[in-house]
Amino acid sequence: MKRNGPTFQSVEHQVENKGKRRRKSREGYHNLDRISALPDDILVYLVSHLPLKEAVATSVLSRRWHNVGLSTTTLRFHVVDFSICDNFRRYWRFQTKEFIEQENWKYINWVDHVLQQHKGKHVKEFRVSFSLDGRFSSSINRWIQFAMENSVERLELDLYPEAFLRFGYEDYKLHKLLGLCIPNLGSCGGNIGFKSLKVLQIRHVGVTGEFLEHFLSSCPLLERLSVSYSKDLVNLRVISPSIALKYLVIRNCDNLESIEIRDVNIVSFSYRGFRSTNLVISNVPLLSEVTFLKNAWPKDFIRDIFTHCCLSNIENLKLHIHGAAYNEKSALPLLANLKHLELYVVANYRRALHHLNSFLKASPYLLTLVLKLDKYEGRPLYSCLEVGEIEKAPDCPHNHLKVVEILGYRAHTSGVEHVMYLLKNVLALEKIVVDPVRGWGYPRGLDRPDTEVDEEVKARDHAEQYLKPKIPATVEFVCM
């Protein structure tokens, strides 16, 4: 006869499971008690390494944990990583103005709630990352005031107003808030200021050159500054020998006309933009890393850049030479300290190998060379360049270069010519890497089209079948 009730074995199994859960629960409380026995400063340190929502959630564990959880020194207010292209599109795609407004106020209320509960007196990192514009200035001002009062060390304002571009709203203006404190920004408002600030990163935030010049001189510990997509930045001067700045990044500031860096102890400078910007760099003895990425340089910009920018001490150079014509009358200066060189080039520019030859001559102690190959497709941007069959360039034996990376390789004659020229002239070559992927052409998170992937497959097959047999046995060949 079949029984409907639980068997002895099933009851025994349930009792055993309950016992295990009790033991795990006791072990969990025991571990929590052991952690709770640690000093407050260590607990705050541990909680500060948790995601913000989890850090705040620990405040419900006990009265002591209430103070610890709400004293976290790391306040990162980000819902999703909008720097990943597809994330931004998926989050805001096809959304109405009303929906976006609602999401903004949810975000603002969340930040306000956390800051009202916060019990700490010091904030190491404060990050705002959301699609906010100038209409929310009062809230953003309040958050910055909080950061100043808590001696913030790292401040990031990553605002992404792209969701509102179609509605014609302006970016948030940082200089309007802090401009009233200049020139005593470091101590504006009594004891309030940015005396502890070491890192400032802003994106889609309005700042002027005058504001940044005073800001740098008023923040005695500020070593890292990054400004992206600031429409109000027209002229930037970084010229005071007393400032602490070591790392400067300027990206895609559409109205920027000039940058002057002089008499400072900066060690790294990175510029990326889309317009012709006058650059002057002088008396920067510690400058060792420079990046110039630009799609619209004038054809003589290589000559201009080395004429107006003193780069004799640099060790790492990344240069976008799309659109730059080779000028045989203008030799590059000696770059005796250069160890790492990255060149973004038009692979089928007729005099591309002459460019390569001139850089090899100028950097006799180069150790690593990265070539990022694009192919000219008739874009007006590079109309000054003659494309077609690659001209032969004079030999340039190099005795120190050991590693060569060819990125964006294609099964075209132009790519092959670059590889063969290097194999002939780089006498100490130890490794050559061929990678068909042109990752720089696709923002992080954005899928490459099928046609691009097909080209990559063909390029890998070509590299394996045609290039690999030509590589000397003493050289390691890697096809990504």
Side-chain angles (χ1 to χ4, degrees):
M1 182 175 179
K2 187 176 181 180
R3 296 181 179 180
N4 295 325
T7 65
F8 173 77
Q9 289 83 359
S10 67
V11 173
E12 184 182 49
H13 184 65
Q14 292 175 21
V15 172
E16 182 180 354
N17 284 341
K18 288 182 179 179
K20 288 181 179 179
R21 286 196 294 271
R22 290 193 189 99
R23 285 194 297 274
K24 287 183 178 179
S25 178
R26 286 196 298 270
E27 290 173 0
Y29 282 118
H30 178 65
N31 290 334
L32 179 60
D33 288 340
R34 292 176 62 187
I35 295 174
S36 297
L38 295 171
D40 282 358
D41 56 345
I42 294 180
L43 291 180
V44 172
Y45 174 82
L46 294 175
V47 168
S48 297
H49 284 75
L50 295 173
L52 182 58
K53 290 186 178 180
E54 294 179 15
V56 173
T58 62
S59 64
V60 303
L61 295 176
S62 69
R63 180 176 298 178
R64 184 175 179 222
W65 277 96
H66 177 78
N67 292 328
V68 169
L70 298 178
S71 298
T72 177
T73 61
T74 303
L75 297 171
R76 301 190 188 102
F77 297 97
H78 56 87
V79 181
V80 294
D81 187 353
F82 286 132
S83 66
I84 299 177
C85 187
D86 269 10
N87 280 357
F88 186 88
R89 295 182 181 184
R90 290 168 184 157
Y91 199 84
W92 298 119
R93 199 174 193 181
F94 306 127
Q95 301 299 347
T96 63
K97 180 180 178 181
E98 290 71 22
F99 173 83
I100 298 173
E101 291 273 7
Q102 184 180 17
E103 291 298 300
N104 275 327
W105 284 113
K106 282 183 182 179
Y107 180 86
I108 289 171
N109 291 334
W110 172 45
V111 177
D112 285 343
H113 179 69
V114 172
L115 298 189
Q116 288 168 6
Q117 290 185 310
H118 191 266
K119 296 182 179 295
K121 296 181 180 180
H122 175 64
V123 173
K124 288 187 176 179
E125 180 178 347
F126 188 95
R127 183 179 186 220
V128 172
S129 178
F130 206 70
S131 184
L132 300 173
D133 57 70
R135 292 170 305 131
F136 305 99
S137 294
S138 60
S139 297
I140 301 172
N141 290 347
R142 191 166 57 248
W143 303 339
I144 294 175
Q145 188 79 4
F146 171 90
M148 294 169 67
E149 292 172 353
N150 285 270
S151 302
V152 67
E153 295 182 18
R154 182 185 185 98
L155 177 62
E156 298 184 25
L157 300 176
D158 291 343
L159 308 185
Y160 296 81
E162 288 95 330
F164 286 104
L165 285 180
R166 60 186 183 273
F167 305 125
Y169 300 130
E170 290 189 350
D171 290 351
Y172 167 74
K173 312 288 187 183
L174 179 62
H175 57 269
K176 287 188 176 180
L177 166 66
L178 300 180
L180 297 176
C181 300
I182 293 174
N184 298 310
L185 183 64
S187 59
C188 65
N191 294 322
I192 301 172
F194 283 121
K195 289 184 176 180
S196 301
L197 189 65
K198 298 178 181 178
V199 180
L200 176 63
Q201 177 178 308
I202 55 178
R203 177 186 175 101
H204 282 296
V205 172
V207 288
T208 64
E210 181 185 11
F211 165 79
L212 288 177
E213 188 173 349
H214 286 291
F215 190 89
L216 288 170
S217 62
S218 302
C219 299
L221 301 181
L222 185 61
E223 293 189 345
R224 293 178 180 268
L225 173 64
S226 176
V227 182
S228 303
Y229 298 96
S230 181
K231 299 175 183 177
D232 297 320
L233 187 58
V234 178
N235 298 294
L236 176 62
R237 298 169 74 238
V238 182
I239 60 174
S240 174
S242 62
I243 65 176
L245 191 67
K246 297 289 189 294
Y247 304 88
L248 175 63
V249 177
I250 304 294
R251 292 178 180 164
N252 301 325
C253 297
D254 291 345
N255 298 317
L256 186 59
E257 296 178 359
S258 67
I259 300 176
E260 181 181 3
I261 303 173
R262 175 168 49 85
D263 303 330
V264 289
N265 293 318
I266 192 170
V267 299
S268 175
F269 172 58
S270 176
Y271 173 81
R272 182 167 192 160
F274 294 95
R275 62 169 293 162
S276 296
T277 301
N278 296 320
L279 295 170
V280 176
I281 302 176
S282 63
N283 194 23
V284 282
L286 301 182
L287 185 62
S288 62
E289 183 177 54
V290 173
T291 300
F292 294 130
L293 302 181
K294 199 171 186 304
N295 285 329
W297 291 113
K299 66 177 183 179
D300 294 324
F301 101 91
I302 293 180
R303 179 197 64 193
D304 295 340
I305 210 82
F306 285 99
T307 299
H308 300 294
C309 300
C310 181
L311 305 177
S312 57
N313 293 325
I314 59 172
E315 298 177 5
N316 189 322
L317 176 62
K318 300 177 183 179
L319 203 58
H320 192 165
I321 61 174
H322 276 193
Y326 174 72
N327 186 346
E328 59 187 12
K329 297 180 181 179
S330 180
L332 296 178
L334 178 64
L335 304 172
N337 294 325
L338 191 62
K339 300 296 188 294
H340 179 95
L341 174 64
E342 290 187 24
L343 294 177
Y344 297 67
V345 303
V346 174
N348 59 334
Y349 169 46
R350 290 184 62 244
R351 312 200 77 184
L353 294 184
H354 291 275
H355 270 321
L356 184 55
N357 172 279
S358 64
F359 277 98
L360 290 178
K361 279 184 180 179
S363 48
Y365 301 104
L366 188 67
L367 298 177
T368 304
L369 172 66
V370 179
L371 288 183
K372 297 187 175 182
L373 305 182
D374 260 339
K375 189 171 183 291
Y376 177 79
E377 302 293 352
R379 288 166 288 181
L381 202 58
Y382 311 135
S383 59
C384 65
L385 298 185
E386 299 179 43
V387 297
E389 185 177 349
I390 305 297
E391 286 185 10
K392 300 296 182 182
D395 288 342
C396 180
H398 199 288
N399 296 311
H400 291 85
L401 184 55
K402 298 183 182 303
V403 178
V404 169
E405 297 182 29
I406 309 292
L407 308 184
Y409 178 81
R410 290 291 181 268
H412 300 145
T413 304
S414 56
V416 175
E417 292 285 351
H418 280 80
V419 175
M420 300 312 296
Y421 182 80
L422 290 168
L423 287 176
K424 181 179 180 181
N425 287 279
V426 181
L427 306 181
L429 187 62
E430 296 178 356
K431 181 179 181 179
I432 183 167
V433 179
V434 175
D435 186 352
V437 177
R438 293 174 175 169
W440 61 89
Y442 300 91
R444 192 159 63 105
L446 185 63
D447 293 333
R448 304 188 304 281
D450 292 340
T451 53
E452 188 76 6
V453 175
D454 291 341
E455 286 288 323
E456 293 167 8
V457 172
K458 293 177 184 178
R460 288 189 188 94
D461 292 341
H462 185 271
E464 289 285 353
Q465 297 174 16
Y466 183 81
L467 285 184
K468 188 174 182 179
K470 298 180 181 298
I471 307 298
T474 55
V475 177
E476 179 186 0
F477 176 78
V478 179
C479 184
M480 303 297 287

